[in-house]
Amino acid sequence: MELKTRVPGVLTISRGRAVCQGAEVVSTEVLRTQEEWEAVDNIQPETGSQASSDQPGQLISFSEALQHFQTVDLSSFKKRIQPTIRRTGLAALRHCLFGPPKLHQGLREERDLVLTIAQCGLDSRDPVHGRVLQTIYKKLTGSKFDCALHGDHWEDLGFQGANPATDLRGAGFLALLHLLYLVMDSNTLLMAQEIFRLSRHHIQQFPFCLMSVNITRIAIQALREECLSRECNRQQRVIPVVNSFYAATFLHLAHVWRTQQKTISDSGFVLKDLEVLAKKSPRRLLKTLETYLAGVSKRQASLLGAQKCCGPQAPHSKDLTFTGVCDLLPDSSEGTWLS
């Protein structure tokens, strides 16, 4: 995939090569042009709204983005949340007798914040929201330039259309925070980039960001069904556990996708099995993530498979049919246990 930064009618920069009105520009002009663009505040999207932030070009950390949500008024969104699944009759009795422990009282406010963020949409007028999108784009593509908040370049990252906001159904801004978490840690960034390469495989391609949104949905459900309560109680925190659970689930999906030769037509069923497994054995998934990250820090082989996912990249196609966890009817299918 050739990643480009475009300004209509002026210049196209593509991996250090500049083309202006169809003619090659000598290297000195390339350097000068790049310096000029680095000094530009932002690139205007086609809609005319700015794609900038308070500090154009500056990446945002996960903790800074989280702090933003901790300080703004989210009361209108908090009213919508259902912290736990409502059970009645035998289901309630069975859960009480054999289910996971309840979340400690002191952790419930943190849990509610996670669920509240999942109710928030993407607001292109909010500078922090824009910086989160810009950071995700730059860390995945290696671009040094700001990009428009609407445009076909988001489809290259695995959103369904030119506006990422339309793909956040059921996960809200939490889906973008999870992507930000994944790309802003040096170890998980390598994992994200490896999964991103797999998503561009000429046969096994899948929409990376849309798949990530579906995994965030699984994390939300696991939290509401108290599948993560034991681990949250053990660590005495919620957000780091949910983040790690998301990353571990994404890692396992990529491992299954790679080793079992899955394709886009398998997406819905893979996600459904993954949801069952993730809720049933969260601790085992988290242990696998720990092993993977330890291997990354020691430069060991990837758990996604012995071979690197470096086959020919698939061209973006709007004909791909992706099925998410919300698109399948409930059934009694069981997930595949970790090997």
Side-chain angles (χ1 to χ4, degrees):
M1 177 180 66
E2 188 174 66
L3 301 170
K4 301 180 180 180
T5 304
R6 294 183 180 274
V7 176
V10 182
L11 181 69
T12 299
I13 298 176
S14 174
R15 294 194 182 277
R17 186 166 58 90
V19 180
C20 185
Q21 297 178 348
E24 292 290 336
V25 183
V26 296
S27 58
T28 56
E29 292 183 357
V30 172
L31 295 175
R32 187 180 71 251
T33 301
Q34 289 177 335
E35 290 174 357
E36 290 173 355
W37 275 107
E38 287 174 355
V40 175
D41 280 352
N42 54 69
I43 295 175
Q44 302 296 326
E46 295 176 1
T47 60
S49 61
Q50 288 192 340
S52 65
S53 61
D54 292 327
Q55 304 175 58
Q58 183 173 344
L59 301 181
I60 187 170
S61 67
F62 175 84
S63 59
E64 185 180 354
L66 178 62
Q67 186 177 22
H68 170 73
F69 285 96
Q70 290 172 325
T71 55
V72 298
D73 182 13
L74 300 177
S75 55
S76 61
F77 298 104
K78 190 173 182 179
K79 294 176 182 178
R80 307 176 190 172
I81 70 171
Q82 294 183 3
T84 57
I85 297 295
R86 296 172 183 172
R87 298 178 175 86
T88 58
L90 290 176
L93 179 62
R94 184 169 58 250
H95 182 76
C96 181
L97 294 176
F98 306 108
K102 291 186 176 296
L103 189 68
H104 291 168
Q105 183 70 36
L107 298 176
R108 293 177 187 177
E109 183 177 350
E110 189 179 354
R111 174 203 61 193
D112 290 352
L113 174 62
V114 173
L115 298 177
T116 301
I117 295 173
Q119 292 292 325
C120 300
L122 170 62
D123 184 355
S124 59
R125 298 167 298 178
D126 189 322
V128 171
H129 289 209
R131 286 180 64 198
V132 169
L133 272 180
Q134 297 284 2
T135 300
I136 292 169
Y137 181 83
K138 290 176 181 178
K139 296 295 283 187
L140 283 176
T141 66
S143 173
K144 296 181 180 179
F145 303 100
D146 284 354
C147 63
L149 298 184
H150 298 82
D152 292 345
H153 49 280
W154 295 112
E155 297 179 38
D156 293 333
L157 262 62
F159 286 103
Q160 289 188 108
N163 182 6
T166 61
D167 286 336
L168 304 183
R169 178 174 61 92
F173 204 87
L174 183 64
L176 295 180
L177 280 188
H178 277 165
L179 277 169
L180 181 67
Y181 160 77
L182 205 63
V183 302
M184 285 304 288
D185 179 88
S186 58
N187 287 333
T188 53
L189 171 61
L190 295 175
M191 185 182 92
Q193 291 172 334
E194 188 170 7
I195 299 174
F196 184 57
R197 286 194 298 272
L198 174 61
S199 77
R200 302 297 296 168
H201 191 274
H202 66 295
I203 295 175
Q204 293 184 268
Q205 60 181 302
F206 60 85
F208 176 84
C209 287
L210 191 58
M211 187 73 81
S212 175
V213 172
N214 274 270
I215 294 173
T216 296
R217 290 173 184 160
I218 293 174
I220 292 169
Q221 285 302 106
L223 181 63
R224 292 182 64 233
E225 293 179 23
E226 300 177 288
C227 302
L228 304 181
S229 294
R230 189 185 307 278
E231 190 64 24
C232 290
N233 292 342
R234 188 182 73 83
Q235 295 191 28
Q236 282 299 296
R237 50 189 188 169
V238 174
I239 292 174
V241 171
V242 174
N243 287 348
S244 295
F245 176 80
Y246 154 81
T249 305
F250 209 167
L251 175 66
H252 184 67
L253 179 139
H255 177 68
V256 168
W257 200 274
R258 173 65 179 171
T259 58
Q260 297 183 18
Q261 302 295 306
K262 300 299 183 180
T263 65
I264 192 67
S265 62
D266 302 310
S267 59
F269 302 104
V270 171
L271 282 167
K272 197 66 178 177
D273 286 348
L274 182 67
E275 182 177 10
V276 173
L277 168 63
K279 293 177 182 179
K280 198 170 187 178
S281 188
R283 182 58 187 156
R284 194 168 185 179
L285 283 178
L286 292 170
K287 280 290 187 182
T288 301
L289 177 68
E290 291 175 10
T291 302
Y292 173 85
L293 294 181
V296 168
S297 64
K298 296 176 182 178
R299 299 181 180 275
Q300 293 177 353
S302 163
L303 292 185
L304 298 190
Q307 296 180 345
K308 292 293 182 180
C309 311
C310 54
Q313 291 182 346
H316 175 74
S317 173
K318 295 187 178 182
D319 296 328
L320 291 178
T321 302
F322 178 83
T323 307
V325 292
C326 294
D327 301 315
L328 290 178
L329 293 174
D331 56 43
S332 59
S333 60
E334 292 295 324
T336 303
W337 289 96
L338 284 167
S339 57

